Amino acid sequence: MIATRFTELVGCVVPIQQAGMGAAAPPELAAAVSQAGALGMLGTARAGLTAATLADLLEQVRLLTDKPFGVNFIVAPIFLSGTSTRPPLDLKCIEIAARAAKVVEFFYGEPERRLVEMVHAGGALACWQVGSREEAVAAARAGCDFVVAQGVEAGGHVRGTIPTMTLLSEVIAAVDMPVLAAGGIGTGQAMAAALAAGADGVRVGTRFVAAAEAPCIRSTSPP
Ligand SMILES: Cc1cc2nc3c(=O)[nH]c(=O)nc-3n(C[C@H](O)[C@H](O)[C@H](O)COP(=O)(O)O)c2cc1C
């Protein structure tokens, strides 16, 4: 067990956040990670998400663990202006997630105070995954409780343009809140390096895709 500002804030005992990864982060994975002492995250970037299907996914997590878990949302680039190429976020989904989860997290759009306030009103902590120092400062100004600094080594949706460790030190210097490092971290050594560099925890995505609870691995063995 390693206590950091992140574990104390969120109420977990291992300073690891499993990345929300759309349908690759189902209730089974989020619950297993939380159950093991880290912060599991339910992915919502999946086909057919509605307030009703999200409520069902949240209930599935809750049936599998009573530990803190989070919910991840991909935000349309310009959330409020309606000029996005992505479908707009269903704000009802954020309200439901904030009432059910310990953390509600956003990625991709500019940090938006209205979304953060909605999360806090529901009783959850707000997080923004950022790809630059400037975005981290914007997340702090929007009222986020912690940020994830995503470096260019990250898998999946990548916003970072510089190496994880470089961005991490820039973000730590720029904001006064827990900072997680994301991108290319899949071993205990890499986690130790990030913690030694000042991170309050690490966010791991690709490594969790190989977990039995993620729906991505097909067995090659005969049944
Ligand atoms: C398969 C996959 C899907 C992803 N989908 C999302 C997503 O829906 N939302 C999100 O915030 N990040 C997503 N990401 C990025 C992760 O949040 C995180 O930044 C990244 O996985 C960290 O780097 P790593 O994969 O090297 O651990 C995804 C990553 C992967 C590997």
Side-chain angles (χ1 to χ4, degrees):
M1 306 301 152
I2 303 171
T4 68
R5 291 188 298 177
F6 166 72
T7 60
E8 280 161 14
L9 179 70
V10 165
C12 61
V13 293
V14 178
I16 296 175
Q17 179 198 38
Q18 163 245 315
M21 298 181 286
E28 293 80 1
L29 179 62
V33 171
S34 289
Q35 201 57 26
L39 182 69
M41 299 289 298
L42 177 70
T44 66
R46 53 177 69 223
L49 187 85
T50 64
T53 60
L54 177 61
D56 184 49
L57 291 167
L58 292 166
E59 178 62 13
Q60 288 180 48
V61 181
R62 197 31 89 211
L63 288 172
L64 293 168
T65 185
D66 59 358
K67 303 282 194 298
F69 70 94
V71 182
N72 169 270
F73 290 99
I74 298 272
V75 183
I78 304 173
F79 160 65
L80 291 173
S81 75
T83 57
S84 160
T85 52
R86 283 180 177 276
L89 268 183
D90 180 348
L91 299 184
K92 186 80 189 142
C93 287
I94 295 167
E95 283 175 17
I96 291 170
R99 286 202 300 271
K102 181 75 183 184
V103 172
V104 174
E105 169 196 82
F106 303 101
F107 185 39
Y108 247 85
E110 290 302 310
E112 173 63 57
R113 177 171 283 278
R114 187 176 143 192
L115 289 178
V116 172
E117 285 175 351
M118 199 174 289
V119 170
H120 287 159
L125 298 164
C127 170
W128 216 286
Q129 179 168 231
V130 302
S132 68
R133 177 194 169 283
E134 291 73 21
E135 260 186 17
V137 171
R141 288 205 181 114
C144 285
D145 301 288
F146 68 101
V147 289
V148 179
Q150 188 207 47
V152 71
E153 299 94 325
H157 296 83
V158 183
R159 195 149 167 96
T161 57
I162 61 174
T164 300
M165 295 300 259
T166 307
L167 179 62
L168 174 67
S169 70
E170 287 188 10
V171 171
I172 287 172
V175 298
D176 184 18
M177 64 171 75
V179 179
L180 306 189
I185 299 170
T187 63
Q189 292 98 318
M191 174 177 164
L195 293 178
D200 295 279
V202 295
R203 175 189 184 88
V204 176
T206 301
R207 180 61 187 83
F208 279 116
V209 171
E213 293 83 357
C216 306
I217 305 297
R218 285 214 175 85
S219 170
T220 51
S221 321

